[in-house]
Amino acid sequence: MAGAAEASSTKDALPEQAKGRRDGRARMTGKERREQLLDIGRSLFAQKGFDATSVEEIAQRAGVSKPVVYEHFGGKEGLYAVVVDREMRALLDSITGALTSQGHPRELLERAAFALLDYVESSTDGFRILVRDSPVAQSTGTFASLISDAASQVEHIMVNQFKERGFDPTFAPMYAQMLVGMVALTGQWWLDARKPKKADVAAHLVNLAWNGLSGLEARPQLRDGEH
């Protein structure tokens, strides 16, 4: 009996690739397994959230043991951090590409709004993850930090517009936060609504943002004298 127990223990301790060979299955490379775990984790985090997703479920869906997940990512937190980082980078690259192209500032705003809505449509799981507050990597993994990072890409447009109109450019970063926040929160709403169509949402977003910008007061004052 002791020999059988030792044999079972040895089999469980075998590296994943060796067990794959013994079972006669096509084994994945380390890179392929990592990508598989990221895809599965991304789907589960979007569907259930971080807290409700377990390492056991990730491993079960991948057809591996829990230690394999720990081997690649050190645990659920590590896997989640990689997923969030990838999604943040993909979205910000898309927005940055729109804002660094040539064109009138209104056209750049249109492209940026459309880029975000396009991401929502094509990477729904990724956006669902981003709009939830992350329990890890707080400096880079929250919806608020997403807005902040995107706003930094918009600042130069706002600064130039403020200078052209004779406004104080020190307020431009704050307006960039406002503008990106409006677009991002609309994208969050559209994630589930999906009506009207993407191009119409982008057009209405820019209508409010641009026409609001065109009527800016140089020194806005609250009309309620109590403040």
Side-chain angles (χ1 to χ4, degrees):
M1 295 293 292
E6 289 177 2
S8 176
S9 176
T10 301
K11 181 179 179 181
D12 290 341
L14 284 172
E16 179 191 356
Q17 292 182 350
K19 285 193 286 186
R21 287 194 299 269
R22 289 186 57 172
D23 293 343
R25 296 174 298 175
R27 58 186 174 87
M28 290 185 177
T29 64
K31 182 178 180 180
E32 289 171 339
R33 180 65 73 192
R34 179 181 173 86
E35 291 302 317
Q36 180 206 30
L37 292 171
L38 284 169
D39 288 343
I40 291 170
R42 181 178 183 270
S43 177
L44 287 171
F45 292 139
Q47 176 187 351
K48 305 175 67 173
F50 176 84
D51 291 334
T53 299
S54 67
V55 173
E56 289 86 350
E57 186 171 8
I58 294 170
Q60 182 180 27
R61 289 205 182 185
V64 299
S65 61
K66 286 170 54 179
V68 174
V69 180
Y70 288 105
E71 176 187 347
H72 283 278
F73 300 101
K76 181 175 71 169
E77 292 82 2
L79 193 157
Y80 187 89
V82 174
V83 169
V84 168
D85 182 68
R86 282 189 172 191
E87 296 302 327
M88 289 276 286
R89 189 165 60 248
L91 178 52
L92 287 174
D93 284 350
S94 178
I95 293 174
T96 300
L99 292 173
T100 54
S101 58
Q102 298 296 316
H104 187 275
R106 175 166 180 159
E107 294 174 343
L108 300 184
L109 181 57
E110 290 174 354
R111 292 170 194 166
F114 196 86
L116 184 138
L117 294 173
D118 194 51
Y119 173 83
V120 172
E121 184 177 60
S122 63
S123 301
T124 299
D125 281 354
F127 194 72
R128 286 191 189 281
I129 293 169
L130 290 180
V131 297
R132 294 190 177 104
D133 281 344
S134 169
V136 293
Q138 288 293 335
S139 63
T140 58
T142 66
F143 193 45
S145 69
L146 169 66
I147 292 175
S148 180
D149 289 346
S152 69
Q153 306 294 332
V154 179
E155 275 186 29
H156 71 283
I157 296 177
M158 301 300 292
V159 168
N160 291 338
Q161 286 294 302
F162 271 46
K163 287 180 178 179
E164 286 182 10
R165 296 173 186 226
F167 297 166
D168 185 350
T170 60
F171 291 110
M174 179 177 68
Y175 276 83
Q177 291 280 344
M178 296 174 186
L179 182 60
V180 172
M182 180 182 74
V183 175
L185 287 172
T186 302
Q188 188 175 0
W189 164 79
W190 192 70
L191 177 65
D192 293 314
R194 296 300 172 101
K195 290 181 180 180
K197 63 182 182 180
K198 180 171 53 180
D200 288 341
V201 175
H204 284 280
L205 267 171
V206 175
N207 180 40
L208 174 60
W210 187 258
N211 288 318
L213 289 171
S214 66
L216 280 183
E217 298 172 348
R219 292 180 177 81
Q221 298 284 333
L222 296 178
R223 296 192 178 186
D224 186 346
E226 295 181 2
H227 298 286

